Amino acid sequence: MKSFLKVTCAAFILTSLMTACSEEKETAQVEPSKEVENTLSPEEQQQQLEIEELEKGILFYGENVKGGDYGVSVLDGTYEKTNEGSGTIKAQVEVKNVHDDGTGVTLLPLEFWIENEKTNQKFIGKALPNDAQKFTNLPQGQSIVFDVSFSIKAIEELENFYLYIDSKNDPFANAHWKLDNLDSSQS
């Protein structure tokens, strides 16, 4: 009986030591994460920001998106203060008929809106084509440049506006353009 008691005690002590050692290893392996210093140069930070924006579908002036009917690009954006607390944002848009079968397209199904990323305000735009005939029947391979106007009530944070263009006939998969330098054209 004494030998059984000695073996049981030895097994208990050995098991306790193994458990204590394994818990110690686990706690030693899980260290609090240390903050890594930002070692990116300003150029690398800008490049990383551009990659993140591209992944989110953000385009800039002159960049285009192509669907089955249209190739669309935003060329420029301006802001004009109309009275206290409101103004107009105008975007210059170029749309090209990208069909290769001679088919003309109408631009009437295109929808335009801007959103302020920070305030979640949304404003619907109105196309102001200078050639109504081309706007309603754009021949294959041709393009048209026109303005889209947005009346906005809040003029704060103009740097956070993005222009969305979409069509039920030819969806553009969340492509949107950053409207840069709007606040520099205030009157």
Side-chain angles (χ1 to χ4, degrees), residues 38-186:
N38 187 0
T39 58
L40 298 176
S41 70
E43 295 84 21
E44 292 171 327
Q45 289 175 348
Q46 179 64 28
Q47 199 172 34
Q48 185 176 7
L49 178 64
E50 289 173 4
I51 289 170
E52 289 171 5
E53 289 172 337
L54 184 61
E55 289 172 350
K56 293 178 184 176
I58 300 172
L59 301 168
F60 295 94
Y61 295 139
E63 295 180 335
N64 63 24
V65 63
K66 181 182 173 219
D69 292 334
Y70 314 107
V72 179
S73 178
V74 176
L75 305 177
D76 194 18
T78 58
Y79 170 76
E80 184 179 314
K81 187 175 183 178
T82 53
N83 58 39
E84 194 62 37
S86 65
T88 302
I89 291 177
K90 281 190 181 174
Q92 189 178 45
V93 176
E94 179 179 25
V95 178
K96 182 177 183 178
N97 179 341
V98 295
H99 280 275
D100 56 2
D101 61 1
T103 306
V105 295
T106 179
L107 280 53
L108 294 174
L110 289 174
E111 298 172 354
F112 307 92
W113 71 94
I114 56 174
E115 286 186 30
N116 186 314
E117 182 182 75
K118 292 217 174 172
T119 63
N120 293 321
Q121 292 174 304
K122 181 178 178 179
F123 302 96
I124 305 298
K126 179 181 179 185
L128 306 170
N130 50 4
D131 187 342
Q133 184 177 0
K134 266 185 139 176
F135 194 82
T136 57
N137 187 18
L138 185 62
Q140 183 260 320
Q142 291 191 19
S143 61
I144 183 173
V145 176
F146 57 93
D147 287 338
V148 180
S149 179
F150 305 89
S151 295
I152 63 170
K153 294 180 182 171
I155 59 172
E156 304 85 35
E157 300 180 358
L158 288 171
E159 70 277 2
N160 295 314
F161 277 101
Y162 292 84
L163 170 60
Y164 290 78
I165 302 173
D166 210 354
S167 166
K168 291 177 182 143
N169 299 344
D170 190 10
F172 290 121
N174 198 31
H176 51 289
W177 287 262
K178 171 93 171 117
L179 296 177
D180 286 334
N181 304 320
L182 293 179
D183 54 354
S184 64
S185 61
Q186 290 185 24

